[in-house]
Amino acid sequence: MPKPGELTFVAPRGAKPPRHLADLSPAERKEAVAELGEQPFRAKQLSNHYFGRMSNDPESWTDIPAASRGKLTEALLPELMSVVRHVSCDDDETRKTLWKLFDGTLVESVLMRYPDRVTMCISSQAGCGMNCPFCATGQAGLTRNLSTAEIVEQIAAGMRDLKSGSVAGGEARLSNVVFMGMGEPLANYNRVLSAIRRLTDPAPDGFGLSQRGITVSTVGLVPAMHRFADEGLSCRLALSLHAPDDELRDELVPVNTRWKVAEVLDAAWNYAEKSGRRVSIEYALIKDINDQAWRADLLGRLIKNQRVHVNLIPLNPTPGSKWTASRPEDEREFVRRLQAHGVPTTVRDTRGQEIDGACGQLAAAG
Ligand code: SF4
C-alpha cells in the first residue's frame, strides 16, 4: 500500500480513471465479474463488502476464496485516490481532506460533525468551469469531470473512517451528503446521478443513505435542473443565486448570461414541486456588492410564497481578492428584510474557515 500522499504511478493527463465497482450498476457488476471468469454471485458478495460492510480490505472477505479476492480487487477495486493530507479545525469537528487522484489531480472533501448528524461535502469535478469571480476554484478553471467512483470513494472513505472510529469524536454514521465541494455537479450530470444511485440504493447495491439527506447544488444550469426534476428523486436542490437581479448576477455568476434569474427560479420551483422538497437558495453575502437592503427586498419579493429556504453565506474571502464579507449590521438587516417577506432565512455556519479561505483553496495550495 502506498503511504498517504503517494501513488504507485501518475497517469498522463487525459487518461481515464480506472474502472471501479462503484462505476457500475448491479447488472454491470455481474457482467464484469463474469468477464473475469468468476461466478456472477461474486458481484453481490463484493458489493456486500464494499457497500454493505464498508470494507475495502480483501483479507476480511472470508466468503470469497483467496485467489478470487486478488483477481476481483485488482479488476474492480483499484485504488482511485490517496490522502495528501487531512486538516482539522472547529475543535476537530471539521476534517478537510485533500485527495490526489490517479492522474495527480487534486480534489477535496470535508467531513463535518454536528450534535445530531454527520455531513460530508464532496467534489464532483476537479476545478470548475463556471468562473465565478469571487471563488478560488472558479479562478483555476475546470481540470476534468470526476468519474462516478471518484465521487463515491470520497464518501466511502469517510464512511469507513467514521465506522472505524478513526475520525475525532469516535464512531458514527454518515447522514448527509452535500455536492458543494469543487465543481458544478449538474455539469457532470450522468456521473453525479450514478453516484447518487450508489449512495442511496439499499445495501448491498449501494450505501442505503436517504435521498432526503443528499443536497445537490447548482449555479443554475436550467436544462439540467429540469432533467434532474424528472428523475423522481427526493434529494434537495440548492441554487447558488448570489444576486436577485440579472445585471449583478451576470457578473457574479457568469452562467447567468445564458440563463437569467427568472428562468433559473422557474426551474427551481419546478424541482420543488416535483420533488416535494424546499429549494435552498444559497446567497454569499459580499460587502457592498450584493448585500444592500433593496436587494434583500427584491429577493424577498421574487421568492416569497414558494417552497424555499434562504441560506446566507458570509463570504470566505480569497487571499488578494477585492470581495469580502458583509458588515454584521448589513447581514442582520438582510436577514430581517427577507424574514419580513415571510421567507425562512438562516445564516450558514462557516465550518472550516480556519483552515482555508473559500472553496477550493486547499487544493489550490497543493
Ligand atoms: S462558486 Fe461554485 S460554481 Fe462558481 S466557480 Fe466556484 S465552485 Fe464553480
Side-chain angles (χ1 to χ4, degrees):
M1 291 284 278
K3 292 193 198 113
E6 244 177 44
L7 274 181
T8 37
F9 76 104
V10 172
R13 298 267 161 183
K16 272 171 88 178
R19 182 179 69 162
H20 186 281
L21 188 76
D23 287 313
L24 307 177
S25 67
E28 290 167 336
R29 290 173 215 167
K30 272 194 196 153
E31 280 169 35
V33 164
E35 275 165 26
L36 295 170
E38 294 287 335
Q39 296 289 338
F41 68 84
R42 299 262 180 250
K44 196 144 211 161
Q45 290 177 312
L46 203 56
S47 299
N48 189 41
H49 291 302
Y50 181 80
F51 292 106
R53 296 180 53 236
M54 294 168 224
S55 162
N56 63 346
D57 173 18
E59 297 287 311
S60 71
W61 306 345
T62 48
D63 54 346
I64 305 179
S68 302
R69 274 183 239 163
K71 204 185 336 174
L72 291 166
T73 307
E74 196 182 321
L76 291 170
L77 290 173
E79 192 189 4
L80 294 177
M81 51 182 71
S82 62
V83 175
V84 176
R85 59 178 171 271
H86 294 298
V87 186
S88 293
C89 68
D90 303 322
D91 292 331
D92 274 351
E93 286 178 343
T94 301
R95 186 184 79 164
K96 190 156 190 161
T97 305
L98 180 65
W99 299 101
K100 188 188 268 186
L101 306 182
F102 85 106
D103 56 357
T105 301
L106 300 173
V107 295
E108 57 193 9
S109 62
V110 187
L111 193 152
M112 293 159 281
R113 296 185 83 123
Y114 298 91
D116 58 339
R117 65 189 192 279
V118 182
T119 299
M120 278 194 77
C121 172
I122 55 166
S123 297
S124 56
Q125 298 182 306
C128 182
M130 295 298 137
N131 207 19
C132 305
F134 56 88
C135 164
T137 304
Q139 301 319 293
L142 176 68
T143 305
R144 68 170 171 87
N145 284 326
L146 301 194
S147 68
T148 298
E150 286 172 328
I151 298 169
V152 172
E153 250 298 298
Q154 296 169 59
I155 301 292
M159 291 176 98
R160 289 192 293 263
D161 287 351
L162 285 167
K163 190 179 172 209
S164 70
S166 65
V167 183
E171 207 179 316
R173 284 184 76 85
L174 183 71
S175 45
N176 296 71
V177 173
V178 295
F179 284 80
M180 288 186 179
M182 296 170 90
E184 159 58 48
L186 296 186
N188 187 13
Y189 190 93
N190 291 339
R191 296 178 192 94
V192 165
L193 201 80
S194 298
I196 292 172
R197 302 262 181 234
R198 300 296 111 78
L199 299 180
T200 60
D201 280 352
D205 290 343
F207 286 118
L209 296 172
S210 163
Q211 288 180 8
R212 298 181 70 81
I214 310 248
T215 300
V216 175
S217 79
T218 180
V219 279
L221 307 188
V222 167
M225 289 167 77
H226 285 304
R227 192 174 160 196
F228 194 51
D230 289 335
E231 301 286 355
L233 297 167
S234 55
C235 300
R236 187 187 288 283
L237 184 73
L239 170 63
S240 300
L241 195 67
H242 304 317
D245 52 305
D246 286 322
E247 193 183 347
L248 179 59
R249 195 165 191 267
D250 281 352
E251 189 190 342
L252 292 185
V253 185
V255 77
N256 196 71
T257 54
R258 179 82 175 77
W259 294 291
K260 296 295 181 191
V261 170
E263 246 184 305
V264 166
L265 288 177
D266 274 352
W269 310 147
N270 176 54
Y271 185 85
E273 195 184 320
K274 291 199 170 139
S275 64
R277 302 292 311 274
R278 279 195 299 179
V279 168
S280 176
I281 300 279
E282 309 290 307
Y283 197 106
L285 279 174
I286 311 172
K287 184 178 158 195
D288 297 332
I289 302 287
N290 66 352
D291 62 353
Q292 302 85 350
W294 70 265
R295 281 203 161 90
D297 283 333
L298 176 58
L299 179 61
R301 283 197 299 276
L302 285 176
I303 66 175
K304 68 178 178 187
N305 302 327
Q306 296 286 352
R307 252 184 238 199
V308 75
H309 172 266
V310 174
N311 215 356
L312 296 172
I313 309 156
L315 188 78
N316 224 346
T318 314
S321 161
K322 63 172 177 159
W323 317 93
T324 183
S326 298
R327 298 170 200 90
E329 60 271 29
D330 293 335
E331 181 183 296
R332 278 196 298 274
E333 183 62 10
F334 209 93
V335 174
R336 197 190 65 74
R337 290 197 178 225
L338 284 174
Q339 288 176 340
H341 286 279
V343 175
T345 305
T346 47
V347 178
R348 188 201 277 176
D349 91 71
T350 46
R351 285 285 185 102
Q353 276 208 337
E354 302 159 31
I355 48 175
D356 73 343
C359 88
Q361 279 186 20
L362 195 63

